[in-house]
Amino acid sequence: MVLKAEIHSHLEGTASPALVRKLADRHGMTLPDSLFTNKDSFRWTTFLEFLKAYDMASAVIRTPEDYRDVTYDYLKRCAEEDAIYVEVMSSPDHAAMAGMAYQDHLDGIVQGITDATNDFGIEGRIIVTCVRHLGPDQAEKVALQTVAAPHPLVVGFGMGGDENAHHPSDFAWAFNIAHEAGLLCNVHAGEMAGPESVIAALDHLPVKRIGHGVRSIEDPDLVKRLIEEDITLEVCPGSNIALGVFPDFNNHSFLKLRKAGVKVTLNSDDAPYFETSIGREYLIAREHFGLSDDELLNLTRTSIENSFADQKTKLKLLARLQST
Ligand SMILES: [Zn+2]
């Protein structure tokens, strides 16, 4: 058994088809059959279809109780695969689209984490994320909401969405609000765009981690910079193959980045959409990247050391790794 940790998963994107159906029933909503496959995953082919399916499924998460259930269900599944720590990215914009206030969605997530910690011993933390293609004004709003309602489980601020929309400098104000309030920051880059996107993010945003960052390998100077500036990459191999960032695992940059000395970690991104889980990502690393149990455990150590949790929590989690 290898203990695991995950630092890149989108909360709304963790909801399984079964849970999405249950929440739709709860609210008397009808979802089109075309949203699901026969294998009980979500149906999509292109990136745009993926985003559409994601938004449609997320729209059933409408109350604090729903957010509690989505969070609890995900952490339970992670704990069943021997994960001891998970950072989830929440999206107040998705909550608002479903008619929920920031505080209500946060209360639900906090309850889900608290219940899962009590029941399974797994630790969870929250990274509040803005959506890049909704623009800098909306990002600023999210940052202001986040710092106005601090909570010990909210440890980070980040940005997902369409990497090719806007420039990172447009979001500096939003990130600086969060950063100055003590939140650690990450941003998606180097996934749907090349190394220049990662460079722009590092130049303009106070980030410690890059979501994906896997295309950094195309620029040797950037690889050096990632090492010098001690930046951790939140790598999601299953997601990258599903979305066609690389044609197959053999061509994935994970091993090259790791060999160069860049800090890499394993993550599922949006598990049911990519028919993956944190357990499957570790399996991919074992089967396709040839990593041993010790090497996998070292990846867990990297995730925990570079998580956004407080020092005391990190030491407690690292001690659990020592004892296995
Ligand atoms: Zn992501």
Side-chain angles (χ1 to χ4, degrees), residues 88-103:
V88 291
M89 286 178 272
S90 76
S91 173
D93 290 310
H94 278 90
M97 276 185 257
M100 286 185 73
Y102 177 85
Q103 190 64 50

Side-chain angles (χ1 to χ4, degrees), residues 25-284:
D25 283 349
R26 186 181 280 176
H27 300 300
M29 295 167 75
T30 312
L31 295 169
D33 286 339
S34 59
L35 181 60
F36 306 100
T37 68
N38 298 333
K39 288 199 299 181
D40 209 30
S41 62
F42 295 103
R43 187 190 302 279
W44 58 274
T45 317
T46 64
F47 186 60
L48 284 180
E49 284 173 12
F50 158 67
L51 291 180
K52 218 173 125 191
Y54 187 98
D55 284 347
M56 204 183 282
S58 303
V60 306
I61 310 168
R62 309 191 72 79
T63 65
E65 185 195 8
D66 296 346
Y67 263 104
R68 181 264 169 209
D69 290 352
V70 169
T71 308
Y72 182 84
D73 186 64
Y74 185 59
L75 293 184
K76 176 174 183 279
R77 282 183 279 142
C78 289
E80 284 166 358
E81 293 187 326
D82 305 316
I84 58 170
Y85 179 79
V86 171
E87 273 171 19
V88 291
M89 286 178 272
S90 76
S91 173
D93 290 310
H94 278 90
M97 276 185 257
M100 286 185 73
Y102 177 85
Q103 190 64 50
D104 287 342
H105 108 291
L106 180 62
D107 289 347
I109 300 168
V110 165
Q111 192 61 50
I113 292 177
T114 308
D115 291 349
T117 303
N118 287 338
D119 290 352
F120 314 114
I122 187 169
E123 289 280 350
R125 294 292 185 275
I126 302 163
I127 300 172
V128 179
T129 49
C130 58
V131 179
R132 186 158 171 165
H133 54 264
L134 296 182
D137 290 348
Q138 190 56 30
E140 285 168 19
K141 236 191 213 172
V142 172
L144 287 169
Q145 281 174 332
T146 308
V147 302
H151 188 282
L153 293 184
V154 175
V155 292
F157 182 80
M159 181 162 72
D162 181 357
E163 190 185 342
N164 290 299
H166 303 280
H167 189 271
S169 59
D170 299 333
F171 299 94
W173 200 74
F175 272 82
N176 287 334
I177 290 170
H179 185 60
E180 279 162 26
L183 297 174
L184 297 168
C185 299
N186 66 351
V187 64
H188 283 61
E191 177 199 19
M192 293 298 165
E196 69 287 348
S197 169
V198 179
I199 294 167
L202 294 177
D203 283 348
H204 294 283
L205 303 176
V207 292
K208 280 299 292 167
R209 302 195 322 231
I210 297 288
H212 299 286
V214 284
R215 291 190 56 194
S216 303
I217 199 68
E218 295 166 29
D219 181 344
D221 287 337
L222 174 58
V223 171
K224 257 189 246 159
R225 181 173 176 185
L226 293 173
I227 298 162
E228 278 163 18
E229 297 185 13
D230 196 27
I231 302 293
T232 302
L233 301 187
E234 305 158 4
V235 183
C236 312
S239 161
N240 293 156
I241 302 310
L243 288 172
V245 178
F246 299 100
D248 52 43
F249 291 116
N250 286 339
N251 285 289
H252 196 285
S253 61
F254 182 91
L255 281 180
K256 285 185 206 130
L257 288 162
R258 181 172 171 272
K259 200 173 164 212
V262 179
K263 284 183 176 172
V264 287
T265 60
L266 288 172
N267 307 276
S268 69
D269 208 6
D270 303 287
Y273 291 83
F274 307 131
E275 293 178 18
T276 192
S277 65
I278 187 58
R280 179 168 175 260
E281 296 300 322
Y282 275 67
L283 200 64
I284 288 169

Side-chain angles (χ1 to χ4, degrees), residues 232 263-265 297-307:
T232 302
K263 284 183 176 172
V264 287
T265 60
L297 199 63
N298 268 328
L299 294 180
T300 305
R301 192 167 287 122
T302 303
S303 289
I304 291 170
E305 284 171 350
N306 298 282
S307 75

